[in-house]
Amino acid sequence: NAGVTQTPKFRILKIGQSMTLQCTQDMNHNYMYWYRQDPGMGLKLIYYSVGAGITDKGEVPNGYNVSRSTTEDFPLRLELAAPSQTSVYFCASSYPADSNQPQHFGDGTRLSIL
Amino acid sequence: AQSVTQLGSHVSVSEGALVLLRCNYSSSVPPYLFWYVQYPNQGLQLLLKYTTGATLVKGINGFEAEFKKSETSFHLTKPSAHMSDAAEYFCAVRIDNAGGTSYGKLTFGQGTILTVHP
């Protein structure tokens, strides 16, 4: 059982470039989330989705976009990369029947923008 | 709105010593609280959670936490530290929207890095 899989694991971008961070889960979870983690700041919620076709903004959505065409996949897109988006990005998923179910995390994508 | 504050960004203990990681929360509704652990270059793993019921919650790897409403605290403890406990620990509280919905969203504390010395 793979759980939550994120690709790529590492990436270096130039300012102004775009890229898509991929996230897929095989647990049939309806809820999915994107976070960014910066040193000493904990994790901040960027976007979340409660099911295919339904997404909503989290705490820090500016500069990012998401889509959810299937239950399994929840990609995060950076359109115009900026140095402030250098961070570690985590995707997570959870089962919705009880919203107190724990979130399952991927291993992260480490992104540097130079 | 819900929030959590972790007191101490770094905690250092000797192997075999008590581990105490502090977390205080703010919530206008009964809180649902979580502790997660992150090992280097990995994602977060759930240690334990408090929803309702018993205020002393036991988790994996010998960790436990006690929910104290009067102190708005949810401190994480382990009686005897192991070298393998070295990691970063995050306290989190469930976010409740105005209508009482959650969708499982969490807000995290800043994290506490635990170092264990031989």
Side-chain angles (χ1 to χ4, degrees):
Chain A
N1 196 349
V4 179
T5 302
Q6 292 184 240
T7 56
K9 294 189 184 301
F10 305 93
R11 184 73 183 268
I12 298 174
L13 282 183
K14 295 182 178 179
I15 296 171
Q17 287 185 321
S18 62
M19 78 163 293
T20 299
L21 283 65
Q22 301 292 344
C23 174
T24 187
Q25 52 93 7
D26 61 1
M27 297 172 284
N28 202 32
H29 287 168
N30 275 22
Y31 292 176
M32 295 188 75
Y33 315 86
W34 274 106
Y35 295 92
R36 61 176 289 171
Q37 182 183 22
D38 301 297
M41 302 294 290
L43 279 76
K44 303 293 185 184
L45 182 65
I46 304 172
Y47 272 95
Y48 69 100
S49 170
V50 300
I54 306 171
T55 62
D56 204 353
K57 296 177 180 178
E59 184 180 0
V60 290
N62 292 344
Y64 307 95
N65 282 299
V66 294
S67 60
R68 185 94 182 270
S69 58
T70 67
T71 298
E72 295 77 18
D73 300 308
F74 189 40
L76 176 73
R77 183 152 180 90
L78 284 69
E79 290 292 351
L80 290 172
S84 62
Q85 295 176 305
T86 293
S87 188
V88 182
Y89 292 85
F90 288 98
C91 179
S93 71
S94 69
Y95 188 62
D98 173 356
S99 65
N100 298 319
Q101 287 298 308
Q103 295 184 13
H104 298 258
F105 284 79
D107 286 339
T109 294
R110 285 148 184 82
L111 180 62
S112 293
I113 298 164
L114 306 176
Chain B
Q2 291 78 31
S3 66
V4 290
T5 301
Q6 292 182 240
L7 304 177
S9 58
H10 290 82
V11 170
S12 180
V13 300
S14 299
E15 193 172 18
L18 171 71
V19 175
L20 171 61
L21 304 182
R22 300 178 186 273
C23 173
N24 287 88
Y25 70 89
S26 173
S27 179
S28 56
V29 298
Y32 295 93
L33 297 158
F34 304 79
W35 274 101
Y36 282 85
V37 60
Q38 183 182 33
Y39 298 103
N41 299 315
Q42 294 186 22
L44 279 68
Q45 303 172 32
L46 181 72
L47 274 178
L48 50 81
K49 66 177 181 179
Y50 169 78
T51 55
T52 58
T55 56
L56 182 62
V57 180
K58 295 186 183 299
I60 62 172
N61 301 338
F63 283 93
E64 61 183 34
E66 186 171 10
F67 171 66
K68 291 187 176 181
K69 184 178 178 181
S70 61
E71 299 178 8
T72 62
S73 69
F74 190 56
H75 301 333
L76 182 71
T77 61
K78 182 174 181 177
S80 177
H82 295 160
M83 298 294 290
S84 60
D85 294 326
E88 189 164 13
Y89 293 79
F90 292 93
C91 182
V93 64
R94 192 185 77 176
I95 300 170
D96 285 310
N97 298 329
T101 57
S102 168
Y103 304 124
K105 294 182 294 178
L106 301 175
T107 187
F108 287 84
Q110 304 92 320
T112 298
I113 296 172
L114 176 66
T115 302
V116 182
H117 297 287

